[in-house]
Amino acid sequence: MPKTDYTRWRLKTERGRQTWHYLESDEQLAAWPQATYDKYHLGMDTGLPTLPEASNSLEAARNGLRFFSQLQLPDGQWACEYGGPMFLLPGLIISFYVTNTPVPEPWKVEIINYLTARANPKDGGWGLHIEGESSVFGTALNYVVLRLLGMGPDHPVAQKARNRLHELGGALGSPHWGKFWLALLGCYSWDGMNPIPPELWCLPNWVPFHPWRWWVHTRQVYLPMSYMYSLRHSHPKNDLIRSLREELYTQDYATIDFSRHRNTVAPADLYHPHSPLLDVANHVLGAWGSYVCPTFVQSYARKHVYDLICREDENTQYCCLGPVNNPLNFVARYLTEGGDSYAVQRHRETLKEFMWMKSEGMLMNGTDGVQTWDTSFLVQAVVECELTEEPEFKEMLIKALEFLEDQQIRENCPEMDKCYRQTRKGAWAFSKRTQGYTVSDCTAEGLKAVMMLQFTPGMPKLVDDRRCMDAVDVMLTMQNADGGFASYEPIRAGPWAEHLNAAEVFGKIMVEYSYPECTTAVVTSLALFREHYPKYRATEIQTTIHRAIGFIKNSQRPDGSWYGAWGICFNYANMFALESLALTGHTWENSPVVRKACEFIVSKQMDDGGWGEGYMSSVKAEYIHHEKSQVVNTAWACIGLMNAKYPKKEEIERGIKLLRSRQQPNGEWLQEAIEGVFNKSCMISYPNYKNVFSIKALGMFARQYEHIE
Ligand code: LAN
């Protein structure tokens, strides 16, 4: 029986793995353990009761926690939607298409629903992310998705989107990655692609621009791309492909001279224009590929790259680093090994874990989940409220601890040097252990949460001392020369490498940078560790912290703020930086750095007492107000000021009042604008933040100012 009743599909998350289940019978539906959770994310009335009205901040925090604890999944974590980027799903759908992988019927219905709901209401196109203006990348690729999923070209949604695409100049103006997917599908010519030669991977490791030095996401995307670029494989023509070829462009497909469009990028898409160095490199590499490179070198390079692709698959249990390289590796494995190979089957499974159902339909998440990250923050919020010992939350916290224990990575990658991997034994990943990528701040926040819980009376000790030390060992391998910490690895090449950024739509993707957010997470984690384990690597920890604080001070901007790379934007980074500084005794009273930061924060407070920062802050790297104050920004700003021991209580109190006024009678906060960002230009949702950070801010306020026993 076709599983077409899409209201019967349920997402189940166990041990951090998300899988889809089709519930045939009403009994199964009724017995589904996640009823409340699914309903919440499907935007239905959760049926959760109205809570007693809070008469102070602590009670408000407690109400928030009561609500949030209902969303905990049976395995102890708070998976949630992680949408935002609009360029990910097309990769998945095109990869399914070119590998003859059927898309389940309910997916087709729900994906079409989602894209319809998210099309720009005015012009019908899609942007780089859900709040962005329509672009060629977003519109051309999501148009292709609709068509591959069965929408006819005359459907009003398709028609409107196509008109918008043509107004933007058609698919010729796609950025590099868009051109790549279209070429693979057979809707763009490989002649119109700037080169992605696999031979780069055969350079000796000391070469300063060797791909092993690139930011891990960038190199893991270009790796399978280079493999397929060298194969120049395109999906065989059929009626749909022929039709798409005509629909996507403003002129006849046959008349297009693709080789002249390698550098054509629509103005709506261009964030990071090519540098002259990249243009020269593209010419040289193009000539190299066409005339110079001997075939034996080419086939050697292809083999080497394929080996790295296989290692990435195995090291991540086929989940891959992220949502772009998973479908790319999938296609690479399919083209090489055929549709029945083990690897191909595994990719078919793991790709499903990126899918998410919500009220608007089905979308693709930015990772295979937010499990570890959000769980760590929730634990810390409870600690901040000093509610860890309340019987009401004990079971929830034990489950969270069990989850975090289970998610710590226990082994390094086999032959990690050969695949250029960072130490990972002892680390936590962003999503889950099986994905297996160390992230500096995920390790730090994970360790903090574990220690905070384990040292609470009455809590079990699940992660032993050695494993806590392993986490510290990982962090100590990651400090950069400037004292800061980057995301996945220490910096491996200088910022000059950004001249080779070919993605056009993103900024700062070529190499790692030190981030105040990651640095703070590590510093606070090390400091907490030191309290409990004063003897372990004490001198190194001391110097690491000292140098890291130096980085925090040095990275403050002249106006007193810090630029946030992973949340929007200055409010996010300010909160972290002030936490680092507070740790070493820098507060408003004694530190000019902190004073300046507080002045900056307070100068951005809005009339209603809240803070609201628009996503253009991240794009433009200057503070841009949102038209409305935002719960998440307000929580971050208040936490920052409280960390700084800012003396004017009234200003913090106005922010706290705003948080309380937005809290719903059942304890939750409603979704507002998008919260997160990556690569400066692409926004990403963190729907748990509105609950978690509000709870944390209320708890801190209660402890600092309300003195309730
Ligand atoms: C993430 C999500 C989490 C984020 C934090 C932990 C918040 C940060 O402090 C460090 C960097 C990290 C781990 C991060 C890096 C980039 C990611 C993986 C993402 C923003 C989620 C999606 C994004 C990924 C790059 C999306 C695919 C796009 C490409 C350009 C390859």
Side-chain angles (χ1 to χ4, degrees):
M1 194 181 85
K3 297 174 175 174
T4 48
D5 176 0
Y6 57 86
T7 61
R8 289 183 175 275
W9 281 95
R10 287 289 182 280
L11 187 68
K12 187 167 184 182
T13 313
E14 278 172 318
R15 296 269 142 222
R17 275 179 71 90
Q18 297 164 348
T19 33
W20 285 87
H21 296 258
Y22 189 80
L23 306 185
E24 304 271 358
S25 70
D26 292 343
E27 290 74 46
Q28 274 177 309
L29 265 180
W32 190 250
Q34 283 171 240
T36 315
Y37 179 79
D38 280 333
K39 275 187 182 173
Y40 181 65
H41 284 288
L42 291 172
M44 297 174 196
D45 178 8
T46 53
L48 289 176
T50 297
L51 298 169
E53 203 178 316
S55 60
N56 56 44
S57 302
L58 189 64
E59 284 177 17
R62 193 186 277 114
N63 280 350
L65 262 181
R66 283 187 181 140
F67 172 83
F68 202 63
S69 63
Q70 310 273 343
L71 304 185
Q72 190 180 30
L73 290 161
D75 63 343
Q77 46 96 18
W78 281 265
C80 78
E81 183 211 329
Y82 196 37
M86 288 304 281
F87 66 99
L88 304 175
L89 180 72
L92 180 133
I93 296 298
I94 294 174
S95 76
F96 272 41
Y97 191 78
V98 301
T99 59
N100 292 314
T101 307
V103 178
E105 287 304 318
W107 287 33
K108 292 187 188 169
V109 175
E110 289 299 346
I111 289 173
I112 290 177
N113 282 344
Y114 185 74
L115 290 180
T116 305
R118 280 292 170 180
N120 184 310
K122 282 202 204 95
D123 63 35
W126 296 271
L128 184 63
H129 59 91
I130 50 174
E131 294 194 7
E133 303 291 326
S134 300
S135 66
V136 173
F137 198 19
T139 307
L141 290 188
N142 286 302
Y143 178 84
V144 167
V145 170
L146 290 177
R147 296 283 287 115
L148 296 182
L149 295 183
M151 184 182 273
D154 301 326
H155 189 288
V157 173
Q159 247 175 21
K160 198 170 169 190
R162 194 170 60 243
N163 290 342
R164 181 61 187 149
L165 176 61
H166 288 194
E167 273 166 25
L168 290 167
L172 279 180
S174 275
H176 198 211
W177 295 11
K179 289 183 160 106
F180 180 90
W181 282 117
L182 293 176
L184 202 59
L185 186 63
C187 294
Y188 186 86
S189 163
W190 287 107
D191 294 341
M193 282 293 293
N194 275 321
I196 323 171
E199 294 83 34
L200 281 179
W201 286 92
C202 301
L203 293 168
N205 285 345
W206 55 260
V207 173
F209 54 85
H210 189 294
W212 81 274
R213 299 173 185 276
W214 301 355
W215 186 45
V216 64
H217 275 281
T218 304
R219 71 171 188 265
Q220 289 295 11
V221 165
Y222 281 116
L223 178 77
M225 276 190 178
S226 74
Y227 183 73
M228 288 179 286
Y229 173 81
S230 91
L231 296 178
R232 285 187 171 60
H233 172 87
S234 291
H235 193 68
K237 266 186 271 173
N238 58 32
D239 287 347
L240 181 57
I241 304 289
R242 268 188 282 269
S243 181
L244 274 174
R245 284 181 167 194
E246 298 310 324
E247 293 162 35
L248 290 170
Y249 300 94
T250 52
Q251 66 185 95
D252 255 5
Y253 190 81
T255 64
I256 303 173
D257 177 359
F258 283 96
S259 62
R260 293 184 42 233
H261 290 286
R262 292 182 179 184
N263 298 319
T264 307
V265 182
D269 290 65
L270 196 58
Y271 182 73
H272 185 104
H274 289 189
S275 68
L277 178 69
L278 178 66
D279 286 335
V280 171
N282 279 334
H283 276 296
V284 174
L285 293 173
W288 158 263
S290 314
Y291 314 110
V292 185
C293 179
T295 30
F296 79 91
V297 174
Q298 199 178 43
S299 63
Y300 175 81
R302 218 181 263 160
K303 247 185 150 160
H304 178 51
V305 162
Y306 195 68
D307 174 60
L308 291 173
I309 291 173
C310 297
R311 284 174 190 268
E312 161 72 355
D313 279 348
E314 279 153 31
N315 287 335
T316 61
Q317 303 197 21
Y318 297 85
C319 167
C320 291
L321 173 60
V324 182
N325 81 325
N326 187 334
L328 288 169
N329 280 14
F330 175 33
V331 180
R333 304 287 307 243
Y334 175 90
L335 294 178
T336 316
E337 299 169 24
D340 297 328
S341 85
Y342 175 74
V344 167
Q345 319 261 21
R346 291 294 306 274
H347 276 290
R348 288 190 172 124
E349 285 305 310
T350 59
L351 276 168
K352 289 185 193 158
E353 291 179 32
F354 287 82
M355 301 307 286
W356 193 266
M357 245 328 259
K358 65 180 295 195
S359 51
E360 294 162 314
M362 198 189 214
L363 62 118
M364 185 171 180
N365 281 340
T367 56
D368 58 326
V370 294
Q371 300 89 332
T372 299
W373 183 246
D374 280 3
T375 305
S376 309
F377 275 130
L378 184 274
V379 168
Q380 294 180 46
V382 185
V383 171
E384 210 61 66
C385 299
E386 296 181 13
L387 291 174
T388 38
E389 288 178 60
E390 289 218 352
E392 191 179 352
F393 301 122
K394 189 155 182 197
E395 199 193 327
M396 168 182 92
L397 293 175
I398 293 180
K399 281 202 299 186
L401 178 59
E402 283 170 354
F403 179 76
L404 291 174
E405 184 279 323
D406 188 44
Q407 293 307 321
Q408 189 182 22
I409 302 172
R410 309 289 289 274
E411 297 297 338
N412 281 326
C413 298
E415 298 189 286
M416 55 189 260
D417 294 339
K418 281 200 177 153
C419 37
Y420 310 110
R421 289 288 302 264
Q422 179 69 20
T423 312
R424 69 176 188 184
K425 183 179 176 196
W428 275 271
F430 178 72
S431 56
K432 53 193 210 282
R433 167 169 50 87
T434 43
Q435 187 256 11
Y437 268 92
T438 301
V439 183
S440 65
D441 54 354
C442 299
T443 304
E445 304 292 1
L447 178 65
K448 257 197 279 180
V450 163
M451 288 189 297
M452 284 171 175
L453 288 179
Q454 292 195 157
F455 289 100
T456 298
M459 280 282 162
K461 182 166 178 177
L462 303 181
V463 179
D464 64 30
D465 298 344
R466 185 60 248 170
R467 285 171 61 186
C468 294
M469 293 168 187
D470 287 345
V472 167
D473 289 349
V474 173
M475 290 188 275
L476 291 179
T477 63
M478 296 183 80
Q479 191 165 34
N480 292 317
D482 61 7
F485 284 79
S487 58
Y488 295 81
E489 291 156 350
I491 295 170
R492 294 176 174 186
W496 58 266
E498 231 45 69
H499 291 299
L500 299 173
N501 176 350
E504 292 132 354
V505 284
F506 305 117
K508 297 217 166 178
I509 61 162
M510 289 309 290
V511 286
E512 284 276 12
Y513 297 88
S514 287
Y515 300 106
E517 302 97 303
C518 300
T519 307
T520 295
V522 173
V523 164
T524 48
S525 192
L526 291 176
L528 183 63
F529 174 86
R530 176 166 69 171
E531 279 175 28
H532 295 297
Y533 303 91
K535 295 216 177 87
Y536 189 72
R537 299 186 71 176
T539 348
E540 285 150 282
I541 291 179
Q542 176 53 31
T543 26
T544 305
I545 294 180
H546 180 76
R547 288 178 54 216
I549 301 293
F551 165 76
I552 298 283
K553 287 188 190 158
N554 291 337
S555 56
Q556 186 178 36
R557 295 163 36 120
D559 63 7
S561 68
W562 286 266
Y563 176 83
W566 308 109
I568 300 171
C569 175
F570 296 97
N571 280 304
Y572 184 69
N574 293 344
M575 166 179 75
F576 283 100
L578 288 170
E579 193 184 347
S580 271
L581 293 167
L583 184 82
T584 41
H586 296 70
T587 60
W588 192 86
E589 204 166 74
N590 61 19
S591 158
V593 172
V594 173
R595 242 176 229 221
K596 211 164 177 200
C598 290
E599 276 156 20
F600 177 89
I601 298 178
V602 170
S603 75
K604 304 299 177 197
Q605 189 166 25
M606 296 169 97
D607 290 343
D608 63 2
W611 280 259
E613 208 178 338
Y615 77 79
M616 287 306 281
S617 261
S618 304
V619 176
K620 297 230 171 317
E622 61 187 74
Y623 196 100
I624 294 172
H625 283 284
H626 198 282
E627 64 231 18
K628 203 174 148 245
S629 60
Q630 303 287 314
V631 162
V632 173
N633 290 150
T634 305
W636 290 342
C638 291
I639 295 172
L641 291 174
M642 287 188 277
N643 273 327
K645 302 269 178 321
Y646 181 65
K648 294 187 198 145
K649 176 187 166 196
E650 317 77 66
E651 274 149 24
I652 305 174
E653 199 166 23
R654 285 174 65 219
I656 295 293
K657 274 201 182 127
L658 182 105
L659 293 181
R660 287 183 56 185
S661 73
R662 300 247 174 110
Q663 190 174 22
Q664 303 299 301
N666 65 1
E668 74 176 311
W669 282 267
L670 301 180
Q671 184 61 39
E672 299 178 341
I674 200 157
E675 304 85 351
V677 58
F678 57 90
N679 305 148
K680 304 193 81 172
S681 58
C682 191
M683 307 304 135
I684 187 157
S685 308
Y686 286 82
N688 282 336
Y689 279 4
K690 58 186 181 280
N691 291 311
V692 173
F693 284 103
S694 299
I695 294 171
K696 179 170 176 171
L698 290 169
M700 274 179 89
F701 186 79
R703 294 299 160 198
Q704 278 195 19
Y705 297 104
E706 288 183 346
H707 308 293
I708 306 151
E709 290 315 313

